[in-house]
Every structure is written in C-alpha cells, then in structure tokens.
C-alpha cells in the first residue's frame, strides 16, 4: 500500500461515521494548474447541505500512479468515487474513460 493510500484511508476512517440517512462518497479532482490530484470526502445528510472535506493532495501527477492508489482505496472501502476534471482522458491500464459525463462546471 502506498503512503498516499495509507494517509487517505486513515483520514477517511475518522470521518466515516455510518450515520442513518447520510450519503458518503469520495471525489477526485484533477488540478491542471498545480499538476496534482485532490481527494475529497463528501457527506450529505437528508435535507442538509453537502459537506466536502479535503483529505489529501497527491503530488505525483501520473495517471498510472493514481490508478494504483484508487485500486488500493477500492479494496479498503466500497464508497463511490466521482471524478472531476478528467474529461477525455483514459485509464492507462484498461483504456476506459475516466469521466464518462463532463461536469457542467468545466
């Protein structure tokens, strides 16, 4: 397990409370300007606002490394992972689109 994955898992486990009527998911954002990937922990209770907490910034700007980190995260948790800022890019291993639908903010 990489150091980035360990750090993300430790911080995520502290925030994941398993509350009733609450949605939890991870969001990975491609930061084109700083050449890094930002990972956020999102939670939203029913009828309440979204809480987005930054977990970690992955400084290694390489899609194959990000794919490895996300595979390790998927073995640790079953939370949904959303991607933003990856329009038109493919995963190096499977050659599948990373972001299927382009976000309206891009």
């Amino acid at each position: 397990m990489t150091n980035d994955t360990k750090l993300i898992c430790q911080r995520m486990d502290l925030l994941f409370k398993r509350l009733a009527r609450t949605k939890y998911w991870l969001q990975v954002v491609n930061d084109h300007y700083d050449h890094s990937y930002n990972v956020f922990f999102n939670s939203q209770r029913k009828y309440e606002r979204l809480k987005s907490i930054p977990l970690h910034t992955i400084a290694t700007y390489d899609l194959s490394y990000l794919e490895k980190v996300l595979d390790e995260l998927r073995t640790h948790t079953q939370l949904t992972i959303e991607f933003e800022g990856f329009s038109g890019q493919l995963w190096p291993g499977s050659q599948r689109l990373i972001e299927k639908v382009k976000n309206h903010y891009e």
Side-chain angles (χ1 to χ4, degrees), residues 11-72:
R11 292 176 178 174
M12 180 180 55
D13 290 341
L14 292 174
L15 296 170
F16 189 51
K17 304 289 185 192
R18 292 177 177 84
L19 297 174
R21 292 178 275 149
T22 304
K23 293 190 299 186
Y24 298 98
W25 69 96
L26 294 175
Q27 184 178 17
V28 179
V29 179
N30 185 4
D31 189 355
H32 300 285
Y33 302 108
D34 291 335
H35 299 289
S36 61
Y37 303 110
N38 298 317
V39 181
F40 296 91
F41 181 82
N42 296 331
S43 64
Q44 185 175 21
R45 293 200 65 170
K46 193 171 184 178
Y47 307 118
E48 291 185 12
R49 290 184 180 210
L50 168 72
K51 291 182 185 176
S52 183
I53 301 168
L55 289 179
H56 186 60
T57 299
I58 300 173
T60 307
Y61 196 64
D62 183 25
L63 277 177
S64 58
Y65 180 74
L66 178 66
E67 188 175 24
K68 179 182 176 184
V69 169
L70 292 177
D71 287 341
E72 293 173 350

